[in-house]
Amino acid sequence: MVQQLLKHQWLSFRRSSSFGREIGMTIFIAFIAIIIFFFIFIMALALPKILEDIPDVGNPFTFINSFLGYYFLSELFIRYFAQKTPVLSVEPYLPLPINRSFIIKFLLVKSIFHPINLISIILFTPFAIQIVAPQEGTFVALVWLAAIFFTSMALHFFNIIFKKYLDDKSWVWALIIGIAILNYFFADIISLDLLAPVAWFFNKVVVYTVLLAVPITLFIVMAIFSYRFMIKQLYLEEMATQTGGGIEKYTEKLSFLGRSGLVNTLLLQELKMILRHKRTKSVITISLFFVAYGLLFFTNKESYPPDSPWFVFLGIFMSGIFTINYGQFLWSWNTNQMDFFFTRPMAMNSWIKSRYQLILFSCVLSMILSVPYVYFGWHALWIVLSGGLYNIGINIPLMMRLSLWSPKPIDLNRSSMFNYSGAGIAQWIMGIPVMAGPYIFYTPFAIIFNNNAGLIAIAVAGIIGFSMRDIFIKYMVRELQSNKYTLIKNLVI
Amino acid sequence: MIILENLRKSYNKNEVLNISRLEIPQGESFGLVGNNGAGKTTMFRIILDLIRATAGQVTIEGNDVSKTEEWKKFTGSFIDEKFLIDYLNPEEYFNFLAKIYGINQTDLQLFLNRFEELFNDEILGVKKYIRDLSKGNKKKVGIASALIGNPSVVLLDEPFENLDPTSQIRLKKLLREFQQNKQVSFLISSHDLNHVTEICERIVLLEKGKVYTDLQVNESTLAQLNEYFSGNAAVAIEE
């Protein structure tokens, strides 16, 4: 039976409509991933030597342990973006005599076999062999390694629960930001590190090896939670999107927009679409959350002096997250309405303009929300402004055009419980010109003159792009017309 | 007036549609029948320019559908649920359509009043999104959305499917009203031979993508169609 399910999953991948286009890129990305793993391994091997060279490290073992807290946090971060949640188009199997518990167990176990789960092992085994074993003994080194591994696996299941259940609830993100801010203040003002207990635990594990039971229990608990939770979601009414109880009412307040012109009506339309589906709502929540991303950079004055070129990336990221997250699937969101938009006498021009305006509005909103960063200094404001202007002028058109390339169908009505469709390799690749683009403008000016000149160059590029928006919209209309049949054909669930 | 000329559609060397010439004059109600896979929906989708024909062209009132968008202003259509915006409730949906077609609220209300019988209090005033309506009710919304905006050509793919018997009769009545008052050309595909012979003046039977026969409807048409579908295609179908 397991074989059957695996075969079905393989076939659905192999026979998907975008297989031919994607296979080349997938192989390429897999190749890159292997190279990355190789480098991680080499680095891990060299870690002890690197540590020797850093002054006043003290005991390398305790030193590494003190970083484990940050390691797990960043692993969680990576998992959130890179890890695919277990997906199986489950409905066809439900009425068959296959145990639901079996299906869920299958999905959960299968999700364990993901390259990401190897990272913790690859990173820490060399260290365990070279430093921990000689110091504490082989058995203890194994226990230590196992503790790290099981914590990582507990994070694996935690991430699944988080992504499926919690990531569209705004209070969760507010809580995370709250804790991050608190941690900053504690560390800065009281010198209390919230992550210290993690380091303490791993230091103690080598002494009281029985403590290994803690990560193992955590792992088992998380797995059971995932299982219980996913089983409940198998009922069809749970699978249909919950609109959060009651009909969404916010857009009624905005109905004045609908009275003034087709572009505004279409904008309102799209807003309704975003607010009435779980998946698009979580895109909004994430975008708001990322406005807080700057806290990581601005508070860390040593690694990121005001002149650092990293800030260019930050400026783009903060106001542009919605552009990227929403824009990359711009046409996919309309999978269920494609036929509507192409059979009504609706000027394509108005439709595209309304979408442009929607994303524009999100950029402006994030820019306004980022203004408080001026607390860290005027340079923060320039970064926010230049990044935002560049996003408005260049990244929005770029994203809108790129999203036409290899769009995947997304059925918004399926709860993202069992359906995280739409994200293919193409979408990841799209991120590259968006993030790297501004450096084309920034670098020459920053090198010839200074950092501020680079920022101004980016802002000017954005303003020029913005002034050309009408030309761009006309261009998009032509592109849409010529891509029309492919779009309709591909966006079929 | 709709003209299909030399229309052909193949998927990977598999020809699914081959119509040398089909002319539908203005105001004619036209029924399309055929077995599953005969090419009815494909033909509709090509007329609506949602699929690109492998060869040939379709013109509506002289407009080539793949070259301009003018025809969309007077062509209404409803093929399947993807033609609806399912995250709106019916009122919002009709208001949105009214906006697109430039219909004011009073005219919209007059229009929707004609559907009161068909809707049967289950569509308007009900706080449900279209996606949560039953299949039959979605169909009703779709049919109304095809008729909005004073179209002169209306394409309906299996409009009677999923409707309860009362609604089917009411729909027939409604379609006849539109036919008489507005001189609308209906293109209706259906598996329900009774309904289609009652409403349409002309019936085209597709078999494996080709026009098998093209009849003007009279009293014996229903019997002839039944003969065909019973597998006695050899029995001559008279023009």
Side-chain angles (χ1 to χ4, degrees), chain A residues 60-195:
Chain A
F61 180 64
T62 44
F63 183 69
I64 287 288
N65 281 340
S66 65
F67 276 106
L68 277 180
Y70 293 101
Y71 166 73
F72 286 127
L73 273 182
S74 38
E75 200 192 277
L76 204 51
F77 189 74
I78 298 179
R79 278 183 187 281
Y80 182 78
F81 288 103
Q83 187 178 336
K84 273 200 191 153
T85 35
V87 157
L88 177 66
S89 178
V90 125
E91 273 182 52
Y93 297 101
L94 287 181
L96 294 178
I98 301 179
N99 280 340
R100 290 169 179 211
S101 61
F102 175 78
I103 297 180
I104 301 290
K105 284 186 204 153
F106 170 79
L107 283 177
L108 285 176
V109 168
K110 183 165 171 293
S111 73
I112 296 183
F113 293 92
H114 191 281
I116 282 196
N117 289 328
L118 287 177
I119 290 188
S120 60
I121 301 201
I122 295 185
L123 256 181
F124 291 106
T125 313
F127 183 77
I129 297 180
Q130 292 177 305
I131 301 265
V132 186
Q135 203 177 310
E136 314 273 351
T138 337
F139 173 70
V140 167
L142 268 176
V143 166
W144 180 77
L145 199 58
I148 295 186
F149 177 67
F150 279 109
T151 316
S152 170
M153 293 307 292
L155 286 181
H156 165 88
F157 285 112
F158 174 74
N159 181 50
I160 292 181
I161 298 180
F162 184 72
K163 268 178 108 145
K164 298 292 206 188
Y165 191 45
L166 292 173
D167 75 346
D168 72 330
K169 300 210 181 343
S170 23
W171 59 262
V172 168
W173 296 99
L175 192 67
I176 296 179
I177 299 184
I179 294 182
I181 298 184
L182 271 180
N183 188 45
Y184 167 63
F185 280 117
F186 281 156
D188 224 30
I189 300 174
I190 320 181
S191 333
L192 177 72
D193 185 6
L194 286 179
L195 290 172

Side-chain angles (χ1 to χ4, degrees), chain B residues 12-203:
Chain B
N12 289 340
K13 306 254 180 344
N14 191 12
E15 194 172 69
V16 298
L17 198 65
N18 187 344
I19 298 183
S20 56
R21 187 177 172 88
L22 196 56
E23 241 182 75
I24 306 162
Q26 183 56 41
E28 177 172 88
S29 277
F30 173 95
L32 196 59
V33 301
N35 282 324
N36 295 333
K40 308 188 290 296
T41 310
T42 311
M43 190 176 114
F44 275 11
R45 284 190 177 267
I46 295 184
I47 296 179
L48 290 172
D49 197 35
L50 293 173
I51 303 181
R52 181 167 22 206
T54 322
Q57 65 173 34
V58 176
T59 47
I60 302 186
E61 298 292 330
N63 298 308
D64 183 335
V65 299
S66 60
K67 299 224 171 51
T68 87
E69 312 219 333
E70 282 301 303
W71 53 274
K72 292 185 186 173
K73 295 188 181 144
F74 48 81
T75 308
S77 59
F78 180 64
I79 295 190
D80 60 24
E81 284 166 21
K82 279 176 62 166
F83 277 61
L84 303 172
I85 298 191
D86 58 356
Y87 54 83
L88 298 180
N89 63 45
E91 280 94 354
E92 288 174 328
Y93 182 55
F94 290 127
N95 280 328
F96 180 48
L97 286 174
K99 216 44 225 262
I100 293 183
Y101 287 93
I103 303 174
N104 62 40
Q105 279 298 314
T106 342
D107 288 340
L108 178 66
Q109 206 40 58
L110 284 173
F111 172 78
L112 289 175
N113 285 341
R114 305 179 66 170
F115 288 84
E116 204 182 306
E117 213 190 20
L118 185 67
F119 282 172
N120 205 21
D121 285 337
E122 279 174 26
I123 310 258
L124 298 172
V126 163
K127 292 206 183 305
K128 272 184 175 180
Y129 295 143
I130 291 181
R131 67 181 174 223
D132 297 324
L133 294 175
S134 70
K135 262 193 137 126
N137 284 334
K138 281 185 194 165
K139 195 125 227 169
K140 293 181 186 176
V141 173
I143 293 174
S145 73
L147 291 166
I148 205 169
N150 282 325
S152 52
V153 175
V154 177
L155 283 82
L156 295 173
D157 195 21
E158 315 232 16
F160 299 104
E161 189 191 36
N162 294 128
L163 293 185
D164 59 72
T166 319
S167 301
Q168 287 184 14
I169 296 173
R170 287 177 179 167
L171 178 60
K172 264 198 300 196
K173 201 170 124 202
L174 196 64
L175 292 179
R176 269 199 224 106
E177 269 174 36
F178 271 90
Q179 274 173 320
Q180 281 152 8
N181 300 349
K182 302 269 177 173
Q183 276 292 293
V184 180
S185 290
F186 279 99
L187 275 75
I188 299 181
S189 89
S190 184
H191 285 307
D192 192 321
L193 303 174
N194 287 312
H195 292 323
V196 108
T197 43
E198 267 182 65
I199 303 192
C200 302
E201 303 152 356
R202 173 180 172 197
I203 292 189

